[in-house]
Structures are given as C-alpha cells and as structure tokens.
Amino acid sequence: MEQLKGAKFDGGKPRPSTVPVEAIEAIMAAREYGLQKYKDAEDWRSIEPERWHEALLRHVLAIWDDPTHIDEESGLPSIWHVMTNGAFLCACLKDVVDEKMKRGG
C-alpha cells in the first residue's frame, strides 16, 4: 500500500489512543452489567450526581485495602465500578466543571 504524504494539523486535537484500552473495556463491562440489571441504557442520566458520587465512594472503600476486590453483586472488579461511576460523574457534571475551569477554579 502506498503511503500518502501531506500536511496534517493535529495540534490541540484530542488523542483517543492515549486512553488505555483496558479502561474502556472495564467501563464497557460494567455498563453491560448495568444494562442487564436495569434494562435501560440511558437511565443513568436521570440519577442525581450525588448518588453516583456515593456509589463511587462505596467502591473506593471496597478497594481501599484490596485493589483487586471483586464486587459481590456484579462479580466484576470494584475498580471497574469506580471508573464507571467516575465516567457518569464526568458526564453529569460536565457543564458545571467547564464553567469552573473557565473562571479559573
């Protein structure tokens, strides 16, 4: 295959390849569990951010002394639930965080 040459300006653009694939797979696995349990792929959007924060903290406590802790209910590593709850919080709080960042904290 012939390699094409030319200008490509990528400065300042997101680089998805910098995110560990294992993190993406972990969140996908936790989401699949949630889909089986709750049946609605978008119901997480109706949950208050405080509840995602509490869930995240419960899972953090579970991994406090054992980073490889397996959640009893889902059978998945608790760290995967931490990451998923963190992702939900990032999405829920995006506008608030963006505004804070604009103001410099």
Side-chain angles (χ1 to χ4, degrees):
M1 175 184 279
E2 181 180 339
Q3 186 163 353
L4 300 176
K5 295 181 182 182
K8 179 78 172 107
F9 301 102
D10 292 332
K13 292 182 181 177
R15 294 177 46 207
S17 64
T18 63
V19 178
V21 171
E22 294 83 358
I24 297 167
E25 291 173 340
I27 293 171
M28 285 190 309
R31 291 288 289 132
E32 286 297 327
Y33 169 77
L35 287 171
Q36 289 175 9
K37 183 175 179 181
Y38 299 109
K39 310 292 186 225
D40 182 354
E42 298 300 318
D43 71 330
W44 67 270
R45 295 179 187 278
S46 65
I47 307 297
E48 304 84 16
E50 296 80 14
R51 292 182 60 200
W52 292 123
H53 186 233
E54 290 294 333
L56 181 142
L57 293 175
R58 284 192 298 272
H59 288 290
V60 165
L61 290 174
I63 65 170
W64 195 269
D65 290 325
D66 179 8
T68 62
H69 180 267
I70 302 297
D71 180 71
E72 295 83 14
E73 182 181 343
S74 69
L76 298 172
S78 291
I79 190 69
W80 294 8
H81 289 286
V82 170
M83 294 171 52
T84 304
N85 287 306
F88 288 155
L89 277 172
C90 285
C92 291
L93 300 175
K94 183 181 183 328
D95 293 341
V96 175
V97 170
D98 286 349
E99 186 58 36
K100 265 189 155 178
M101 288 174 61
K102 282 181 194 173
R103 291 192 315 249

XYZ file of all heavy atoms in Angstrom:
836
model
N 0.843 -1.174 0.000
C 0.000 0.000 0.000
C 0.891 1.240 0.000
O 1.826 1.329 0.787
C -0.908 -0.008 1.238
C -1.729 1.246 1.366
S -2.724 1.319 2.862
C -4.104 0.329 2.387
N 0.581 2.165 -0.836
C 1.368 3.391 -0.943
C 0.996 4.338 0.192
O -0.181 4.532 0.507
C 1.064 4.067 -2.274
C 1.853 5.333 -2.495
C 1.511 5.981 -3.827
O 0.993 5.279 -4.719
O 1.750 7.172 -3.944
N 2.013 4.867 0.845
C 1.779 5.813 1.939
C 1.594 7.209 1.358
O 2.388 7.665 0.546
C 2.944 5.809 2.923
C 2.655 6.673 4.122
C 3.596 6.371 5.269
O 4.373 5.436 5.206
N 3.514 7.148 6.302
N 0.514 7.848 1.784
C 0.229 9.196 1.317
C 1.006 10.201 2.156
O 1.162 10.034 3.354
C -1.268 9.488 1.421
C -2.174 8.577 0.609
C -3.631 8.911 0.879
C -1.877 8.709 -0.872
N 1.476 11.248 1.528
C 2.195 12.294 2.227
C 1.432 13.593 2.067
O 0.823 13.841 1.039
C 3.609 12.443 1.677
C 4.460 11.230 1.923
C 5.843 11.413 1.387
C 6.610 10.105 1.643
N 7.963 10.175 1.215
N 1.479 14.402 3.089
C 0.800 15.685 3.012
C 0.699 16.304 4.381
O 1.099 15.723 5.386
N 0.153 17.471 4.425
C 0.016 18.203 5.682
C -1.151 17.642 6.488
O -2.195 17.310 5.953
C -0.208 19.682 5.396
N -0.938 17.533 7.775
C -1.984 17.109 8.710
C -1.755 17.870 9.993
O -0.738 17.698 10.653
C -1.900 15.596 8.947
C -2.922 15.070 9.922
C -4.280 14.941 9.263
C -5.260 14.245 10.177
N -6.247 15.158 10.719
N -2.672 18.758 10.349
C -2.517 19.601 11.527
C -3.339 19.033 12.680
O -4.551 19.209 12.746
C -2.940 21.039 11.198
C -2.140 21.629 10.076
C -2.662 21.720 8.801
C -0.837 22.072 10.298
C -1.917 22.245 7.759
C -0.080 22.594 9.264
C -0.618 22.689 7.989
N -2.660 18.335 13.602
C -3.333 17.671 14.710
C -3.119 18.384 16.042
O -3.607 17.922 17.073
C -2.845 16.223 14.850
C -3.283 15.371 13.670
O -4.319 15.679 13.071
O -2.579 14.402 13.355
N -2.379 19.474 16.033
C -2.090 20.173 17.284
C -3.354 20.585 18.016
O -4.273 21.154 17.445
N -3.420 20.268 19.306
C -4.551 20.642 20.136
C -5.766 19.742 20.006
O -6.768 19.959 20.686
N -5.700 18.732 19.150
C -6.835 17.826 18.981
C -6.724 16.675 19.975
O -5.630 16.264 20.342
C -6.869 17.273 17.555
C -7.198 18.324 16.515
C -7.262 17.719 15.136
C -7.570 18.782 14.092
N -7.553 18.210 12.739
N -7.881 16.159 20.411
C -7.855 15.014 21.335
C -7.159 13.809 20.698
O -7.235 13.617 19.486
C -9.333 14.699 21.575
C -10.088 15.867 21.077
C -9.228 16.572 20.073
N -6.506 13.030 21.549
C -5.831 11.822 21.080
C -6.401 10.613 21.815
O -5.865 10.184 22.838
C -4.328 11.957 21.314
C -3.727 13.066 20.453
C -2.263 13.293 20.705
N -1.508 12.050 20.756
C -0.373 11.911 21.444
N 0.125 12.921 22.125
N 0.265 10.771 21.434
N -7.502 10.056 21.316
C -8.124 8.925 21.989
C -7.183 7.745 22.220
O -7.370 6.965 23.155
C -9.269 8.525 21.050
C -9.538 9.741 20.242
C -8.221 10.455 20.112
N -6.163 7.622 21.395
C -5.241 6.497 21.553
C -4.445 6.585 22.848
O -3.793 5.609 23.230
C -4.287 6.426 20.361
O -3.469 7.589 20.314
N -4.488 7.716 23.550
C -3.763 7.840 24.810
C -4.536 7.240 25.990
O -3.989 7.110 27.074
C -3.438 9.313 25.133
O -4.660 10.039 25.309
C -2.599 9.941 24.032
N -5.800 6.875 25.773
C -6.608 6.261 26.833
C -6.360 4.755 26.806
O -6.504 4.121 25.757
C -8.109 6.548 26.629
C -8.944 5.867 27.705
C -8.372 8.048 26.610
N -5.980 4.170 27.953
C -5.743 2.724 27.961
C -6.996 1.947 27.537
O -8.088 2.192 28.063
C -5.384 2.411 29.415
C -4.921 3.718 29.982
C -5.697 4.781 29.255
N -6.834 1.064 26.603
C -7.948 0.249 26.123
C -8.577 -0.513 27.285
O -9.798 -0.695 27.339
C -7.471 -0.708 25.012
C -8.550 -1.710 24.656
C -7.042 0.082 23.794
N -7.769 -0.928 28.249
C -8.288 -1.680 29.399
C -9.319 -0.858 30.177
O -10.284 -1.414 30.710
C -7.140 -2.097 30.327
C -6.183 -3.097 29.721
C -5.102 -2.467 28.835
O -5.096 -1.226 28.650
O -4.255 -3.221 28.342
N -9.126 0.455 30.240
C -10.079 1.320 30.934
C -11.409 1.358 30.190
O -12.483 1.267 30.796
C -9.507 2.731 31.085
N -11.328 1.459 28.885
C -12.543 1.481 28.065
C -13.274 0.151 28.194
O -14.499 0.102 28.371
C -12.200 1.789 26.599
C -11.592 3.197 26.502
C -13.429 1.653 25.703
C -10.932 3.502 25.167
N -12.532 -0.944 28.136
C -13.143 -2.275 28.259
C -13.769 -2.475 29.634
O -14.838 -3.091 29.746
C -12.101 -3.354 27.975
C -11.662 -3.384 26.530
C -10.507 -4.331 26.250
O -9.771 -4.704 27.189
O -10.336 -4.688 25.073
N -13.137 -1.959 30.678
C -13.673 -2.085 32.032
C -15.005 -1.356 32.154
O -15.970 -1.894 32.714
C -12.669 -1.539 33.048
N -15.059 -0.140 31.633
C -16.316 0.621 31.689
C -17.387 -0.074 30.854
O -18.552 -0.170 31.276
C -16.091 2.082 31.250
C -15.215 2.806 32.275
C -17.421 2.811 31.069
C -14.745 4.181 31.853
N -17.014 -0.592 29.696
C -17.992 -1.311 28.869
C -18.550 -2.522 29.610
O -19.760 -2.779 29.564
C -17.368 -1.746 27.545
C -17.191 -0.618 26.571
S -16.720 -1.132 24.885
C -15.335 -2.204 25.155
N -17.697 -3.257 30.308
C -18.162 -4.444 31.038
C -19.123 -4.054 32.157
O -20.161 -4.702 32.353
C -16.971 -5.215 31.599
N -18.798 -2.996 32.878
C -19.687 -2.540 33.948
C -21.004 -2.040 33.367
O -22.082 -2.268 33.938
C -19.012 -1.452 34.780
N -20.939 -1.369 32.225
C -22.157 -0.897 31.558
C -23.016 -2.072 31.093
O -24.239 -2.037 31.195
C -21.802 -0.006 30.369
C -21.202 1.315 30.768
C -22.224 2.255 31.380
N -23.126 2.704 30.337
C -24.453 2.715 30.443
N -25.052 2.333 31.533
N -25.196 3.124 29.439
N -22.380 -3.121 30.580
C -23.143 -4.313 30.159
C -23.867 -4.921 31.353
O -25.025 -5.326 31.236
C -22.216 -5.343 29.508
C -21.759 -4.969 28.122
C -22.900 -4.875 27.120
O -23.885 -5.630 27.223
O -22.803 -4.023 26.218
N -23.183 -4.997 32.503
C -23.832 -5.492 33.710
C -25.037 -4.611 34.055
O -26.125 -5.110 34.342
C -22.841 -5.527 34.889
C -23.543 -5.780 36.188
C -23.981 -7.056 36.519
C -23.817 -4.734 37.070
C -24.669 -7.286 37.690
C -24.498 -4.955 38.245
C -24.926 -6.226 38.556
O -25.615 -6.450 39.716
N -24.839 -3.294 34.015
C -25.934 -2.368 34.314
C -27.097 -2.508 33.350
O -28.265 -2.419 33.747
N -26.800 -2.751 32.082
C -27.870 -2.938 31.100
C -28.695 -4.180 31.404
O -29.915 -4.181 31.263
C -27.289 -3.032 29.691
C -26.776 -1.727 29.106
C -26.033 -1.986 27.800
C -27.917 -0.757 28.884
N -28.026 -5.254 31.824
C -28.743 -6.471 32.183
C -29.605 -6.240 33.415
O -30.728 -6.734 33.501
C -27.762 -7.604 32.445
C -27.084 -8.110 31.207
C -26.023 -9.155 31.516
O -25.904 -9.635 32.640
N -25.239 -9.501 30.516
N -29.078 -5.467 34.364
C -29.790 -5.237 35.620
C -30.939 -4.241 35.463
O -32.030 -4.474 35.971
C -28.800 -4.730 36.677
C -29.407 -4.520 38.045
C -28.358 -4.132 39.059
C -28.980 -3.903 40.419
N -27.987 -3.494 41.416
N -30.693 -3.134 34.763
C -31.672 -2.045 34.709
C -32.425 -1.932 33.388
O -33.404 -1.210 33.312
C -30.984 -0.718 35.026
C -30.382 -0.703 36.408
C -29.009 -0.741 36.589
C -31.193 -0.672 37.533
C -28.448 -0.734 37.852
C -30.649 -0.675 38.807
C -29.274 -0.700 38.956
O -28.734 -0.697 40.210
N -31.957 -2.588 32.344
C -32.635 -2.688 31.049
C -32.684 -1.397 30.232
O -33.177 -1.400 29.129
C -34.084 -3.194 31.214
C -34.225 -4.430 32.052
C -33.621 -5.632 31.386
C -33.923 -6.884 32.201
N -32.800 -7.749 32.368
N -32.201 -0.296 30.740
C -32.282 0.975 30.025
C -30.879 1.573 29.929
O -30.285 1.928 30.945
C -33.221 1.924 30.757
C -33.403 3.254 30.057
O -32.724 3.516 29.046
O -34.234 4.044 30.535
N -30.377 1.711 28.724
C -29.011 2.193 28.524
C -28.829 3.643 28.936
O -27.705 4.079 29.188
C -28.616 2.022 27.056
N -29.894 4.399 29.016
C -29.778 5.824 29.304
C -30.340 6.227 30.662
O -30.356 7.413 30.989
C -30.459 6.631 28.196
C -29.827 6.430 26.830
C -28.367 6.840 26.793
O -28.012 7.881 27.371
O -27.558 6.108 26.184
N -30.778 5.286 31.474
C -31.378 5.653 32.764
C -30.389 6.332 33.706
O -30.779 7.106 34.572
C -32.025 4.447 33.450
C -31.009 3.451 33.982
O -29.912 3.334 33.397
O -31.322 2.780 34.978
N -29.102 6.098 33.513
C -28.098 6.714 34.378
C -28.172 8.234 34.320
O -27.832 8.919 35.276
C -26.691 6.221 34.011
C -26.213 6.672 32.668
C -26.377 6.030 31.477
C -25.498 7.873 32.373
N -25.806 6.756 30.464
C -25.265 7.896 30.985
C -25.032 8.931 33.153
C -24.586 8.937 30.354
C -24.348 9.964 32.523
C -24.138 9.954 31.145
N -28.652 8.766 33.214
C -28.723 10.220 33.050
C -29.750 10.865 33.985
O -29.686 12.060 34.244
C -29.050 10.577 31.605
C -27.959 10.178 30.629
C -28.345 10.541 29.195
N -27.398 10.027 28.234
C -26.253 10.606 27.912
N -25.906 11.735 28.483
N -25.441 10.063 27.022
N -30.697 10.092 34.478
C -31.737 10.642 35.350
C -31.366 10.558 36.833
O -32.138 10.995 37.687
C -33.065 9.922 35.099
O -32.959 8.558 35.474
N -30.202 10.014 37.131
C -29.750 9.870 38.519
C -28.970 11.119 38.928
O -28.145 11.616 38.177
C -28.853 8.616 38.672
C -29.559 7.370 38.131
C -28.386 8.432 40.097
C -30.814 6.983 38.846
N -29.254 11.596 40.142
C -28.557 12.781 40.638
C -27.065 12.481 40.797
O -26.689 11.398 41.233
C -29.111 13.216 42.002
C -30.592 13.478 42.041
C -31.409 12.217 42.235
O -30.862 11.169 42.641
O -32.619 12.275 41.945
N -26.205 13.459 40.465
C -24.754 13.254 40.600
C -24.335 12.817 42.001
O -23.389 12.036 42.147
C -24.166 14.625 40.259
C -25.183 15.273 39.398
C -26.513 14.777 39.886
N -25.046 13.249 43.023
C -24.693 12.865 44.397
C -24.769 11.355 44.593
O -23.979 10.783 45.334
C -25.619 13.564 45.403
C -25.492 15.064 45.423
C -26.244 15.779 44.287
O -27.102 15.136 43.614
O -25.938 16.953 44.049
N -25.700 10.719 43.921
C -25.828 9.264 44.055
C -24.680 8.551 43.368
O -24.197 7.518 43.855
C -27.188 8.806 43.528
C -28.316 9.336 44.455
C -29.679 8.884 44.042
N -29.789 7.436 44.041
C -30.729 6.779 43.363
N -31.604 7.425 42.635
N -30.780 5.461 43.407
N -24.214 9.082 42.220
C -23.041 8.483 41.559
C -21.806 8.680 42.431
O -20.950 7.797 42.515
C -22.811 9.086 40.172
C -23.889 8.712 39.201
C -24.677 9.573 38.490
C -24.328 7.396 38.868
N -25.564 8.850 37.727
C -25.379 7.515 37.939
C -23.949 6.118 39.264
C -26.046 6.420 37.391
C -24.603 5.030 38.727
C -25.634 5.184 37.815
N -21.727 9.830 43.078
C -20.596 10.105 43.975
C -20.589 9.112 45.131
O -19.543 8.550 45.479
C -20.694 11.550 44.470
C -19.529 11.982 45.267
N -19.657 12.534 46.519
C -18.203 11.947 45.012
C -18.453 12.815 46.986
N -17.556 12.470 46.091
N -21.750 8.883 45.737
C -21.846 7.916 46.841
C -21.471 6.511 46.374
O -20.745 5.791 47.075
C -23.260 7.920 47.440
C -23.608 9.172 48.202
C -22.783 9.363 49.464
O -22.316 8.368 50.059
O -22.597 10.531 49.864
N -21.953 6.111 45.212
C -21.621 4.783 44.683
C -20.125 4.665 44.431
O -19.502 3.643 44.763
C -22.406 4.510 43.396
N -19.543 5.707 43.868
C -18.103 5.711 43.618
C -17.345 5.530 44.936
O -16.423 4.710 45.025
C -17.696 7.020 42.940
C -16.223 7.160 42.599
C -16.067 7.854 41.265
C -15.472 7.914 43.659
N -17.743 6.269 45.964
C -17.056 6.175 47.257
C -17.212 4.794 47.887
O -16.269 4.283 48.505
C -17.549 7.267 48.201
C -17.177 8.687 47.792
C -17.833 9.703 48.738
C -15.677 8.875 47.759
N -18.396 4.176 47.752
C -18.570 2.811 48.284
C -17.578 1.850 47.627
O -16.958 1.021 48.308
C -20.000 2.324 48.047
C -21.017 2.925 48.999
C -22.362 2.203 48.921
N -22.989 2.292 47.614
C -23.792 3.276 47.226
N -24.045 4.292 48.035
N -24.347 3.254 46.024
N -17.406 1.976 46.323
C -16.467 1.094 45.622
C -15.015 1.442 45.964
O -14.175 0.542 46.058
C -16.716 1.122 44.114
C -17.968 0.406 43.727
N -18.106 -0.949 43.808
C -19.154 0.874 43.274
C -19.314 -1.305 43.414
N -19.968 -0.207 43.088
N -14.725 2.715 46.171
C -13.373 3.101 46.596
C -13.070 2.452 47.947
O -11.973 1.918 48.159
C -13.217 4.638 46.677
C -11.966 5.027 47.454
C -13.185 5.233 45.282
N -14.022 2.484 48.870
C -13.806 1.838 50.171
C -13.575 0.340 50.015
O -12.770 -0.242 50.739
C -14.990 2.106 51.106
C -15.109 3.547 51.592
C -16.394 3.725 52.397
C -13.893 3.964 52.408
N -14.257 -0.266 49.052
C -14.084 -1.708 48.821
C -12.678 -2.036 48.343
O -12.144 -3.106 48.648
C -15.121 -2.213 47.820
N -12.049 -1.123 47.591
C -10.704 -1.390 47.076
C -9.608 -0.799 47.954
O -8.425 -0.950 47.652
C -10.535 -0.886 45.622
C -10.642 0.628 45.547
C -11.525 -1.565 44.695
C -10.241 1.216 44.204
N -10.000 -0.136 49.029
C -9.034 0.554 49.890
C -7.887 -0.357 50.311
O -6.728 -0.009 50.174
C -9.752 1.101 51.115
C -8.947 2.111 51.866
C -8.082 1.866 52.895
C -8.934 3.521 51.661
N -7.539 3.036 53.346
C -8.048 4.077 52.595
C -9.591 4.365 50.769
C -7.805 5.437 52.674
C -9.352 5.711 50.852
C -8.458 6.228 51.796
N -8.214 -1.520 50.830
C -7.189 -2.468 51.283
C -6.919 -3.579 50.263
O -5.975 -4.336 50.430
C -7.597 -3.094 52.616
C -7.528 -2.097 53.754
O -6.629 -1.237 53.742
O -8.404 -2.158 54.652
N -7.773 -3.669 49.264
C -7.616 -4.716 48.260
C -7.982 -4.159 46.887
O -9.151 -4.218 46.475
C -8.502 -5.919 48.596
C -8.402 -7.030 47.560
O -7.531 -6.956 46.651
O -9.213 -7.980 47.643
N -7.007 -3.613 46.166
C -7.293 -3.032 44.852
C -7.893 -4.023 43.854
O -8.470 -3.608 42.859
C -5.928 -2.543 44.363
C -5.117 -2.388 45.600
C -5.611 -3.430 46.557
N -7.778 -5.320 44.131
C -8.342 -6.326 43.229
C -9.694 -6.841 43.719
O -10.182 -7.863 43.224
C -7.365 -7.502 43.057
O -7.172 -8.124 44.332
C -6.030 -7.038 42.489
N -10.310 -6.141 44.666
C -11.601 -6.554 45.234
C -12.624 -6.796 44.125
O -12.726 -6.027 43.179
C -12.125 -5.475 46.184
C -13.431 -5.828 46.811
N -14.634 -5.440 46.255
C -13.720 -6.532 47.921
C -15.611 -5.889 47.018
N -15.082 -6.556 48.034
N -13.380 -7.868 44.272
C -14.448 -8.196 43.336
C -15.781 -7.858 43.999
O -16.064 -8.297 45.115
C -14.423 -9.696 42.946
C -13.065 -10.080 42.333
C -15.587 -10.035 42.017
C -12.721 -9.365 41.041
N -16.593 -7.073 43.309
C -17.908 -6.698 43.812
C -18.781 -7.940 43.926
O -18.891 -8.720 42.976
C -18.540 -5.679 42.850
C -19.907 -5.245 43.295
O -19.993 -4.511 44.298
O -20.894 -5.648 42.634
N -19.393 -8.122 45.085
C -20.179 -9.329 45.339
C -21.401 -9.427 44.424
O -21.767 -10.513 43.977
C -20.632 -9.379 46.804
C -19.506 -9.514 47.807
C -18.844 -8.171 48.141
O -19.403 -7.095 47.805
O -17.745 -8.207 48.726
N -22.040 -8.308 44.153
C -23.269 -8.332 43.359
C -22.999 -8.574 41.876
O -23.627 -9.432 41.256
C -24.034 -7.026 43.530
C -25.345 -6.997 42.780
C -26.089 -5.692 42.940
O -25.784 -4.921 43.862
O -26.977 -5.445 42.108
N -22.074 -7.838 41.306
C -21.839 -7.920 39.858
C -20.835 -8.987 39.463
O -20.839 -9.450 38.326
C -21.349 -6.568 39.337
O -20.035 -6.303 39.813
N -19.934 -9.332 40.392
C -18.856 -10.257 40.060
C -17.731 -9.592 39.282
O -16.827 -10.271 38.796
N -17.781 -8.273 39.171
C -16.757 -7.511 38.449
C -15.815 -6.831 39.438
O -16.197 -6.576 40.590
C -17.420 -6.434 37.584
C -18.367 -6.931 36.494
C -19.083 -5.748 35.850
C -17.624 -7.752 35.466
N -14.610 -6.513 39.020
C -13.703 -5.785 39.902
C -14.309 -4.440 40.332
O -14.882 -3.713 39.514
C -12.455 -5.565 39.036
C -12.503 -6.678 38.031
C -13.970 -6.865 37.748
N -14.207 -4.144 41.600
C -14.764 -2.888 42.116
C -14.129 -1.672 41.456
O -14.794 -0.647 41.278
C -14.598 -2.826 43.638
O -15.445 -3.775 44.243
N -12.867 -1.780 41.057
C -12.214 -0.653 40.391
C -12.931 -0.318 39.078
O -12.978 0.847 38.669
C -10.698 -0.919 40.167
C -9.977 0.352 39.710
C -10.459 -2.036 39.166
C -9.857 1.415 40.742
N -13.514 -1.314 38.435
C -14.271 -1.060 37.207
C -15.509 -0.223 37.512
O -15.897 0.639 36.734
C -14.682 -2.355 36.521
C -13.539 -3.174 35.993
C -12.188 -2.959 36.193
C -13.642 -4.340 35.197
N -11.465 -3.939 35.561
C -12.324 -4.793 34.949
C -14.707 -5.054 34.681
C -12.065 -5.928 34.183
C -14.458 -6.177 33.922
C -13.137 -6.613 33.671
N -16.130 -0.493 38.671
C -17.290 0.303 39.084
C -16.859 1.725 39.447
O -17.584 2.687 39.162
C -18.002 -0.360 40.264
C -18.720 -1.616 39.896
N -19.913 -1.617 39.191
C -18.409 -2.917 40.117
C -20.313 -2.869 39.006
N -19.419 -3.673 39.562
N -15.684 1.870 40.065
C -15.155 3.206 40.364
C -15.028 3.999 39.063
O -15.465 5.158 38.968
C -13.792 3.129 41.090
C -13.129 4.495 41.172
C -13.952 2.533 42.486
N -14.437 3.378 38.076
C -14.225 4.059 36.792
C -15.550 4.410 36.119
O -15.707 5.508 35.566
C -13.380 3.182 35.874
C -11.970 2.998 36.386
S -11.033 1.780 35.465
C -11.256 2.357 33.805
N -16.508 3.516 36.178
C -17.802 3.752 35.544
C -18.551 4.865 36.256
O -19.111 5.764 35.613
C -18.632 2.457 35.513
O -17.864 1.445 34.847
C -19.951 2.656 34.797
N -18.551 4.824 37.590
C -19.206 5.892 38.339
C -18.505 7.225 38.098
O -19.151 8.270 37.988
C -19.246 5.556 39.830
C -20.246 4.472 40.130
O -21.404 4.572 39.770
N -19.799 3.413 40.782
N -17.190 7.196 37.973
C -16.447 8.404 37.643
C -16.832 8.931 36.269
O -16.970 10.143 36.072
N -17.015 8.031 35.318
C -17.426 8.437 33.968
C -18.814 9.071 34.001
O -19.053 10.099 33.351
C -17.407 7.229 33.029
N -19.725 8.482 34.777
C -21.063 9.066 34.909
C -20.977 10.459 35.536
O -21.642 11.387 35.087
C -21.969 8.176 35.755
C -22.402 6.905 35.080
C -22.761 5.810 35.841
C -22.467 6.787 33.697
C -23.178 4.635 35.243
C -22.882 5.613 33.087
C -23.247 4.535 33.869
N -20.143 10.589 36.569
C -19.980 11.901 37.201
C -19.398 12.916 36.232
O -19.832 14.077 36.199
C -19.096 11.794 38.442
C -19.786 11.362 39.720
C -18.766 11.101 40.819
C -20.794 12.398 40.163
N -18.411 12.503 35.456
C -17.831 13.409 34.453
C -18.913 13.911 33.504
O -18.953 15.104 33.171
C -16.741 12.701 33.654
S -15.204 12.488 34.545
N -19.770 13.021 33.071
C -20.834 13.410 32.143
C -21.873 14.296 32.832
O -22.278 15.324 32.280
C -21.505 12.162 31.561
N -22.288 13.914 34.043
C -23.319 14.667 34.763
C -22.860 16.074 35.136
O -23.662 17.013 35.144
C -23.716 13.938 36.044
S -24.610 12.405 35.809
N -21.591 16.204 35.461
C -21.082 17.479 35.974
C -20.308 18.278 34.928
O -19.715 19.302 35.253
C -20.197 17.219 37.195
C -20.889 16.535 38.371
C -19.882 16.215 39.466
C -22.022 17.389 38.898
N -20.321 17.833 33.691
C -19.511 18.463 32.648
C -19.737 19.967 32.552
O -18.776 20.740 32.538
C -19.768 17.817 31.295
C -18.887 18.411 30.196
C -19.164 17.797 28.856
C -18.274 18.296 27.757
N -17.807 19.645 27.803
N -20.969 20.398 32.497
C -21.248 21.826 32.341
C -20.741 22.634 33.535
O -20.157 23.700 33.370
C -22.744 22.069 32.144
C -23.252 21.511 30.820
O -22.424 21.270 29.912
O -24.470 21.295 30.699
N -20.952 22.112 34.734
C -20.506 22.801 35.950
C -18.980 22.893 35.978
O -18.406 23.945 36.266
C -21.031 22.084 37.211
C -20.475 22.699 38.480
C -22.552 22.082 37.225
N -18.328 21.790 35.670
C -16.859 21.754 35.663
C -16.310 22.667 34.580
O -15.344 23.424 34.826
C -16.354 20.301 35.488
C -14.861 20.263 35.235
C -16.720 19.471 36.708
N -16.893 22.635 33.396
C -16.434 23.517 32.313
C -16.519 24.976 32.735
O -15.587 25.763 32.484
C -17.265 23.293 31.043
C -16.951 22.005 30.319
O -15.937 21.346 30.667
O -17.718 21.648 29.403
N -17.598 25.340 33.377
C -17.769 26.734 33.818
C -16.727 27.097 34.873
O -16.142 28.177 34.823
C -19.192 26.935 34.376
C -19.513 28.362 34.709
C -19.384 29.323 33.532
O -19.707 28.938 32.388
O -18.944 30.465 33.752
N -16.478 26.191 35.804
C -15.448 26.441 36.835
C -14.072 26.617 36.205
O -13.291 27.471 36.609
C -15.396 25.284 37.840
C -16.203 25.477 39.057
C -15.886 24.383 40.044
C -16.181 24.884 41.425
N -15.949 23.858 42.435
N -13.783 25.788 35.214
C -12.473 25.869 34.558
C -12.320 27.203 33.814
O -11.250 27.772 33.807
C -12.281 24.679 33.621
C -12.068 23.379 34.379
S -12.019 21.921 33.323
C -10.618 22.273 32.292
N -13.403 27.680 33.216
C -13.362 28.974 32.526
C -13.020 30.115 33.493
O -12.335 31.061 33.137
C -14.707 29.264 31.862
C -14.940 28.531 30.593
C -16.298 28.925 30.021
C -16.727 27.989 28.934
N -18.098 28.254 28.493
N -13.563 29.991 34.729
C -13.346 31.027 35.741
C -12.003 30.851 36.448
O -11.643 31.665 37.280
C -14.475 30.998 36.768
C -15.804 31.438 36.225
C -16.813 31.660 37.333
N -16.796 30.600 38.310
C -17.766 29.713 38.491
N -18.850 29.756 37.756
N -17.670 28.771 39.402
N -11.320 29.747 36.162
C -10.033 29.512 36.800
C -10.130 28.864 38.163
O -9.249 29.025 39.005
N -11.175 28.097 38.381
C -11.269 27.349 39.630
C -12.461 27.712 40.385
O -12.852 27.410 41.386
